[in-house]
Amino acid sequence: MRADEPKRYWKSLAEREGGAAYSERAAAEFDETPFAAGPLGSRRSFLQAAGFSFAGALLAGCRRAPVEKAAPWLEQPEEIIAGRSYYYTSTCGACPAGCGLLVKTRDGRPIKLEGNPDHPLSRGGLCAVGQASILGLYDSLRPKQPLLRGRAVSWQEADREVLKALAEARRSGGAVRYLSGTLTSPSRLRMIRQLLSGLPDGRHVTYDTLPAAAVLDAHERTHGVRALPHYRFDRANVVASFDADFLGTWLSPVEFTAGYSQLRKPLEQSPQMSYHVQFEARLSLTGSKADRRIRIAPEELPWYLAQLCARLEVKAQRSSGARLESLPILDDVAERLWQARGRSLVVCGAEHLDAQLLANYANELLGNYGTTLDLRRPSLQRQARPGDFAELLDEIATGRIAVLFLDGVNPVYDLPDGEQLARRLRKLPLVVSLAERLDESAEAAAVVCPDQHYLECWGDAEPVRGLFGVQQPLIPPLRGRAALESLAIWAGAPKSAADIVRETWEREIFPRCKAKEESFERFWERVLHEGWVEAEIEHPGSAFNPAPAQAALHRVTKTAAAGLTLVAYPKIALLDGRHAYNPWLQELPDPITKATWDNYACLAPATARKLGLTDGDVVRLEAGPERAVELPVLVQPGQHDNVVAVALGYGGHLTRRFANLGPRWLGWRPSVNAGGCVGENIAPLLERDGGSLRWTRSGVRLVPTGKRHALAVTQDHHTLTVPPRLAAADRGRRPIIEETTLEAFRKDPRAGAQGHPPPAEDLWPRDHTFPGHRWMMVVDLTACTGCSACVIACQVENNVPAVGKDEVRRKREMHWIRIDRYYSGPLGDVDVAFQPMMCQHCEHAPCETVCPVLATVHSSEGLNQQIYNRCIGTRYCENNCPYKVRRFNWFDYARDDRLANMVLNPDVTVRSRGVMEKCTFCVQRIQEARLEARRRGEPLRDGEVQTACQQSCPAQAIVFGDANDPASKVSQLLKSGRAYRVLEEINVRPSVTYLRLVRNRREAEEEERHG
């Protein structure tokens, strides 16, 4: 490929292959078919049947409904002004990462979550799961009160049942076990200790669905301390990742993305960026951003690590005699790592002890401990010991447990023999569940004492040793009772959660943070204001023992699996399934596959071709006798040919609210799962090794069934096209994505420019004047990881509805911002480019010229405005938009769930049926900042206005501001040599500028890959 010749980009295999069928589908971009009643009656009946699942997430609702009740404060707090937003600090509880939060509240109810910019982990970013977790607060299907053997009872009755069983266990010496995931809350751990301390046989057992036991065990052997290092990607100039999806789902992705992206933004005055190589079997989010990606089978991963260590041994002159195979790619990786020793990082996500020992050895040879790996302040996530859980399962099987508490875990769903475990749980004298929702394990429990959502109760977290975060309630409790209060009652010392947390901080944390001039009261006020505090720690240090790693180096051999290997993986939206109840996350397109509302069997193109399979063909995955799951196929470029990859988190009871509700006549197919849930639970295919699950399994058979299951995949929706007069000159290559190499960028900051200048002829006035502000946006394609946090942030901020699987399949998803994913290069080794696409707020907007009622007009500050009460739904503007970013409201989405409606942002109009809508550059935030500046009597400062997508982005890939201010950040970025505008040649003058994608490659390597 010549340096001046653009790559060819494609979104899907169908687009890559082209042909009449694809052209016909692309031409039918806008489906005119209306919705008609199916077996469930009207669409309203369907949405009502789904309950919160849609009425709450559809809550983005779309009809104008008058306020029926207004409940004012009887005594209004002095510091609160009705209708004004207030922000409070907290700690995110959506996953164990413990990111810092700012919670936006209006009139006493939380409506939006943001990352705390001062928090050392999240640095202002927040992932899609964290953004969407606010919807769980207003879930009306959460249990209101305790359940005793399936019957709703009072809290007093439930407590009597638990206290009676504990008293009997205390008298008879019966075993009491408390099973939870890894808990980082000092207060919760203290109360668990207090509960178990008075029992003759009480023990706390931890179990992680997504474990890191191999990392912990490896460090116990090499360093003498069972610890999970705190990985510092912000210090790593070279990263070698072996199946660690650290930008997607591994450990702390928001923190890792923030650190990683710091070193991935080349500037003209400093054209430097880190180098990232990824070894993996399936195409992960992290792999899609790698400068070089190497496909390897899961069985080969330890051997590749061993070969890397052998090369590093030679460079460090510490060779142990390991045999070196000829692998030029590893020669290059080893050299890059060695040149960056002390500023490099080798990470491994595999649950394989030898692989983790070798990763430790590589980092030790490179001198990375103490710089890019911190064992002094290790991460406290995922600390479970699989052996303890295996022992607990044996105790359950023998029936020797008197009382079992289940806190935030769902082993009945997670384990391959979950149904058998459920039967055994029902036979125990007493099983107590503290689950927020009725999952599989809660349904097997005798007593369910539902915990509260983390936004309605007190709590705390210590995600990294010495770094403490506090959770404070932002609304009076809506459901359940705080687990802290339940534990206190059962321990015989009832207290409020607020008192428990405050007491823990005063006794255990304050002495380690105490300033001489500061009382605990002042300290506590400061913690509540800032949301976190860092304490002094004692760490004796540890020496590296190379013997276990060197033994692994000589023990590992290259192996190949017979047949296909199953790779189970967590999606960024559902993780292990704990968020499967959330329709925002169900409808979020996966960044790689662009599929929603399903899991599927990903196959490499070569494998699918060999088996004669295409997207949507249902296959039977068989792993051993009586272990099989039926799934639709999705052909995934970039995947290893011998791998079938399937996502976790589907097919659980939390999705029953969505299942089997679609109109069959439109082709809605219920899950093949007899349980009536969305997608399929693949746990039956997994193997359990003691107390831990193996996420890979070789020897899987794949049998076509002849059935079809239509997937809701968005990769071919809203396709941008090149004007016909330019298509011939471009030989079909689109200039929508522009990219270059770091080597070329150093020579010429404008390297890779492929756009066309706008025509000289112009029917518009020559110059639009913007005398005040001129709002513009810049998106850095190099920094963007495709994580989709911006998509959910926009959805929450702007009351955007979820529409359901059927509507997504018909190209009617409503997201105001989408992440377009483009492939380039050979099918087996594709490059990936992500491009956030929203309304471009064109200066010469094509939508404005065709609207017959002036519902879309241009403001004096450069915003393309949509006037909802003028819109009559002609959809002319949608058809005339070259960027395909306008959305049409087909229906009045049900809003009968009043609790779910509390999440709606009152600053944004709730749109009705027949109205066109699209990105507004968060005009409500612009107005709010303008009014606040006027109140202060000061001009609006750069950075005071942040759009929802910008604020949530962990990579800080989006910048918004006033282009009329020459000192603003957006003005500076507009001058960058990497700046270009999509479809600039059609003279619409978009207000969104993109910074060209830069890959850290040599030009010769790029030419070899794409020539």
Side-chain angles (χ1 to χ4, degrees):
M1 185 189 77
R2 300 194 314 271
D4 61 343
E5 184 177 349
K7 286 183 179 180
R8 183 187 175 196
Y9 296 93
W10 37 281
K11 282 185 174 182
S12 65
L13 293 173
E15 181 180 356
R16 182 179 188 268
E17 294 165 3
Y22 174 77
S23 300
E24 185 177 342
R25 283 203 307 273
E29 182 74 37
F30 302 103
D31 188 1
E32 301 291 343
T33 308
F35 188 98
L40 287 174
S42 68
R43 183 177 180 82
R44 176 175 295 280
S45 301
F46 162 57
L47 295 173
Q48 288 174 344
F52 155 85
S53 60
F54 283 96
L58 294 179
L59 53 112
C62 287
R63 66 190 156 122
R64 298 180 181 91
V67 177
E68 296 181 4
K69 293 183 180 179
W73 283 295
L74 295 178
E75 295 183 9
Q76 180 174 327
E78 292 183 7
E79 69 278 6
I80 299 297
I81 299 174
R84 186 172 178 182
S85 299
Y86 293 87
Y87 290 84
Y88 299 89
T89 61
S90 190
T91 300
C92 186
C95 81
C99 297
L101 286 185
L102 292 180
V103 184
K104 180 181 181 180
T105 65
R106 281 287 293 270
D107 301 330
R109 60 185 175 94
I111 61 172
K112 184 69 171 65
L113 304 181
E114 307 290 358
N116 185 345
D118 297 324
H119 196 276
L121 298 185
S122 54
R123 306 183 197 183
L126 191 62
C127 68
V129 167
Q131 291 281 349
S133 65
I134 193 171
L135 187 57
L137 174 65
Y138 302 112
D139 182 359
S140 60
L141 296 188
R142 283 197 293 152
K144 290 183 179 180
Q145 58 196 95
L147 301 176
L148 178 58
R149 296 177 179 88
R151 176 174 56 90
V153 297
S154 67
W155 283 104
Q156 292 78 9
E157 190 174 349
D159 290 337
R160 281 196 298 270
E161 187 78 12
V162 176
L163 289 169
K164 177 183 175 182
L166 288 173
E168 175 61 24
R170 190 176 295 109
R171 184 190 63 79
S172 63
V176 178
R177 299 291 181 262
Y178 194 99
L179 178 64
S180 73
T182 295
L183 297 175
T184 63
S185 167
S187 296
R188 199 136 169 166
L189 290 170
R190 182 171 74 89
M191 295 311 299
I192 293 171
R193 290 193 299 267
Q194 189 172 322
L195 171 68
L196 300 176
S197 62
L199 299 166
D201 187 10
R203 187 153 56 91
H204 182 197
V205 179
T206 56
Y207 149 71
D208 293 327
T209 314
L210 303 174
V215 183
L216 296 163
D217 293 342
H219 280 89
E220 189 170 33
R221 297 194 183 191
T222 58
H223 291 79
V225 54
R226 194 171 190 270
L228 180 63
H230 186 200
Y231 297 98
R232 300 299 302 269
F233 287 89
D234 57 329
R235 300 175 180 175
N237 291 332
V238 178
V239 176
S241 172
F242 291 80
D243 199 32
D245 188 13
F246 58 85
L247 298 178
T249 59
W250 191 62
L251 300 181
S252 187
V254 171
E255 175 194 0
F256 295 160
T257 299
Y260 173 86
S261 63
Q262 281 187 16
L263 304 178
R264 301 284 293 179
K265 298 176 182 177
L267 304 174
E268 293 175 34
Q269 58 272 29
S270 177
Q272 305 293 330
M273 61 187 297
S274 63
Y275 180 80
H276 170 203
V277 60
Q278 184 85 3
F279 297 82
E280 61 184 10
R282 68 175 185 90
L283 180 57
S284 69
L285 188 71
T286 304
S288 70
K289 292 300 295 182
D291 297 302
R292 186 157 191 181
R293 180 177 171 272
I294 312 300
R295 291 190 309 161
I296 59 174
E299 299 80 13
E300 296 175 326
L301 187 144
W303 182 78
Y304 270 83
L305 266 167
Q307 288 295 305
L308 176 63
C309 287
R311 284 160 170 76
L312 294 175
E313 274 190 332
V314 172
K315 293 180 180 296
Q317 298 181 354
R318 291 165 57 180
S319 179
S320 60
R323 181 179 176 181
L324 286 172
E325 302 285 347
S326 176
L327 286 168
I329 175 59
L330 281 183
D331 294 337
D332 180 67
V333 173
E335 178 61 23
R336 288 177 182 270
L337 288 167
W338 185 252
Q339 293 301 321
R341 54 190 181 277
R343 300 282 297 180
S344 58
L345 184 58
V346 179
V347 292
C348 178
E351 274 299 292
H352 191 289
L353 181 58
D354 281 349
Q356 295 294 347
L357 287 169
L358 293 169
N360 291 3
Y361 192 32
N363 283 309
E364 170 64 20
L365 291 168
L366 293 166
N368 292 335
Y369 282 101
T371 55
T372 57
L373 293 95
D374 188 355
L375 280 176
R376 182 174 176 270
R377 289 185 179 269
S379 171
L380 299 183
Q381 309 165 46
R382 306 191 188 183
Q383 298 290 309
R385 293 179 180 269
D388 294 347
F389 183 56
E391 184 179 339
L392 173 65
L393 292 175
D394 291 339
E395 291 178 327
I396 293 174
T398 57
R400 68 172 299 266
I401 294 178
V403 182
L404 174 65
F405 294 92
L406 300 176
D407 183 357
V409 292
N410 189 8
V412 173
Y413 169 80
D414 297 331
L415 300 182
D417 49 355
E419 292 183 3
Q420 182 185 61
L421 176 61
R423 291 193 294 270
R424 290 172 175 173
L425 290 177
R426 292 188 180 98
K427 293 179 181 179
L428 295 180
L430 187 69
V431 177
V432 183
S433 171
L434 286 86
E436 271 188 49
R437 293 171 181 81
L438 294 179
D439 57 26
E440 288 81 351
S441 298
E443 291 180 1
V447 180
V448 179
C449 295
D451 193 6
Q452 292 175 344
H453 191 275
Y454 72 90
L455 291 174
E456 61 185 343
C457 65
W458 286 94
D460 50 17
E462 187 186 8
V464 173
R465 178 163 294 158
L467 179 65
F468 297 91
V470 69
Q471 292 173 344
Q472 51 182 317
L474 282 308
I475 194 173
L478 302 175
R479 292 286 192 276
R481 181 177 70 185
L484 288 178
E485 295 180 1
S486 296
L487 292 171
I489 291 171
W490 302 334
K495 288 182 182 177
S496 69
D499 289 341
I500 294 170
V501 172
R502 182 184 171 94
E503 198 175 84
T504 302
W505 281 65
E506 187 170 12
R507 291 180 181 178
E508 300 181 7
I509 301 171
F510 175 57
R512 296 163 56 186
C513 307
K514 184 177 179 181
K516 294 181 180 179
E517 73 284 359
E518 193 174 53
S519 65
F520 176 73
E521 292 298 329
R522 291 184 60 188
F523 167 79
W524 185 239
E525 289 178 4
R526 178 165 61 86
V527 167
L528 294 180
H529 179 266
E530 297 178 2
W532 63 279
V533 70
E534 201 159 14
E536 294 297 324
I537 62 171
E538 294 182 4
H539 182 72
S542 56
F544 184 81
N545 177 13
Q550 289 175 341
L553 178 61
H554 291 273
R555 185 167 54 240
V556 166
T557 58
K558 189 174 184 179
T559 59
L564 290 172
T565 296
L566 171 67
V567 173
Y569 67 96
K571 275 190 176 182
I572 64 163
L574 299 191
L575 300 180
D576 56 0
R578 69 186 69 186
H579 300 289
Y581 70 90
N582 193 313
W584 286 346
L585 294 174
Q586 288 279 3
E587 194 156 298
L588 178 68
D590 181 80
I592 300 298
T593 66
K594 307 305 293 181
T596 69
W597 289 103
D598 258 317
N599 63 341
Y600 31 80
C602 289
L603 296 177
T607 306
R609 193 182 311 112
K610 178 181 177 182
L611 297 174
L613 297 170
T614 60
D615 288 349
D617 288 339
V618 176
V619 295
R620 181 179 174 87
L621 269 65
E622 298 177 349
E626 299 181 359
R627 297 217 170 191
V629 168
E630 290 188 3
L631 286 166
V633 164
L634 191 146
V635 182
Q636 178 57 59
Q639 184 166 301
H640 195 281
D641 293 351
N642 294 334
V643 163
V644 52
V646 184
L648 301 166
Y650 289 85
H653 288 184
L654 294 181
T655 67
R656 288 187 299 194
R657 62 180 83 196
F658 305 116
N660 301 332
L661 295 175
R664 306 290 173 81
W665 74 276
L666 282 177
W668 177 291
R669 294 180 58 88
S671 168
V672 197
N673 187 322
C677 303
V678 172
E680 300 293 331
N681 182 8
I682 63 163
L685 301 184
L686 303 179
E687 292 180 300
R688 184 162 62 87
D689 182 8
S692 63
L693 284 175
R694 292 181 179 173
W695 299 111
T696 62
R697 178 169 184 166
S698 59
V700 173
R701 293 184 64 240
L702 194 151
V703 181
T705 66
K707 303 175 187 176
R708 292 281 299 170
H709 178 94
L711 293 166
V713 180
T714 64
Q715 62 186 3
D716 276 334
H717 295 191
H718 315 302
T719 302
L720 277 64
T721 55
V722 179
R725 65 184 179 84
L726 298 173
D730 283 340
R731 295 182 295 282
R733 293 179 173 87
R734 66 182 71 228
I736 292 167
I737 294 289
E738 293 188 5
E739 68 173 271
T740 187
T741 64
L742 182 61
E743 185 177 0
F745 176 72
R746 285 172 175 161
K747 298 175 182 176
D748 178 9
R750 288 189 50 79
Q754 302 291 342
H756 300 267
E761 302 82 8
D762 196 347
L763 295 177
W764 292 78
R766 277 294 172 189
D767 293 303
H768 288 276
T769 58
F770 302 100
H773 302 292
R774 173 67 168 103
W775 302 110
M776 300 188 79
M777 179 177 284
V778 175
V779 182
D780 189 343
L781 299 185
T782 307
C784 176
T785 65
C787 72
S788 300
C790 55
V791 178
I792 298 295
C794 174
Q795 187 162 16
V796 183
E797 172 72 20
N798 294 294
N799 301 333
V800 176
V803 297
K805 178 180 177 179
D806 177 67
E807 292 297 280
V808 173
R809 283 170 46 197
R810 301 167 74 204
K811 304 183 180 182
R812 292 178 178 175
E813 66 270 21
M814 294 293 290
H815 295 132
W816 285 8
I817 179 175
R818 68 178 190 267
I819 308 294
D820 287 340
R821 185 266 295 120
Y822 293 95
Y823 292 133
S824 60
L827 279 178
D829 190 18
V830 290
D831 282 337
V832 183
F834 296 108
Q835 185 178 64
M837 182 58 63
M838 67 296 287
C839 175
Q840 303 286 293
H841 292 267
C842 306
E843 188 175 324
H844 293 175
C847 55
E848 296 174 15
T849 60
V850 296
C851 181
V853 293
L854 292 180
T856 177
V857 295
H858 219 70
S859 79
S860 62
E861 296 184 347
L863 299 181
N864 176 248
Q865 299 176 321
Q866 187 70 23
I867 315 301
Y868 298 129
N869 59 1
R870 289 185 190 169
C871 182
I872 60 174
T874 63
R875 301 177 66 204
Y876 296 160
C877 58
E878 182 181 27
N879 285 280
N880 215 39
C881 175
Y883 301 99
K884 307 295 199 307
V885 290
R886 302 179 74 86
R887 304 286 175 260
F888 182 69
N889 245 323
W890 284 89
F891 304 103
D892 277 337
Y893 296 105
R895 290 180 55 215
D896 301 313
D897 190 329
R898 295 184 181 180
L899 180 61
N901 289 342
M902 291 177 68
V903 81
L904 293 171
N905 184 356
D907 293 329
V908 178
T909 303
V910 178
R911 283 77 62 189
S912 61
R913 179 180 184 176
V915 166
M916 189 64 65
E917 57 185 75
K918 52 90 189 177
C919 162
T920 65
F921 271 172
C922 289
V923 65
Q924 69 278 5
R925 292 189 171 205
I926 297 174
Q927 186 65 13
E928 185 178 21
R930 193 198 317 274
L931 292 174
E932 178 62 21
R934 186 181 301 169
R935 186 188 66 80
R936 297 194 313 260
E938 300 174 355
L940 196 58
R941 295 189 293 265
D942 184 42
E944 286 190 318
V945 179
Q946 286 191 315
T947 59
C949 57
Q950 172 191 12
Q951 191 166 6
S952 68
C953 181
Q956 298 182 3
I958 301 175
V959 176
F960 179 77
D962 182 7
N964 283 350
D965 177 5
S968 68
K969 189 173 182 180
V970 75
S971 292
Q972 299 302 314
L973 290 174
L974 289 172
K975 302 173 185 176
S976 169
R978 290 201 286 141
Y980 78 99
R981 296 177 183 178
V982 172
L983 298 182
E984 186 175 26
E985 59 274 16
I986 63 177
N987 201 30
V988 294
R989 298 192 183 181
S991 295
V992 178
T993 296
Y994 294 88
L995 299 186
R996 198 167 293 112
L997 174 61
V998 179
R999 302 188 193 272
N1000 192 349
R1001 290 185 188 147
R1002 303 179 182 97
E1003 291 184 77
E1005 179 186 351
E1006 183 75 359
E1007 186 171 340
E1008 180 184 348
R1009 284 176 55 81
H1010 297 279

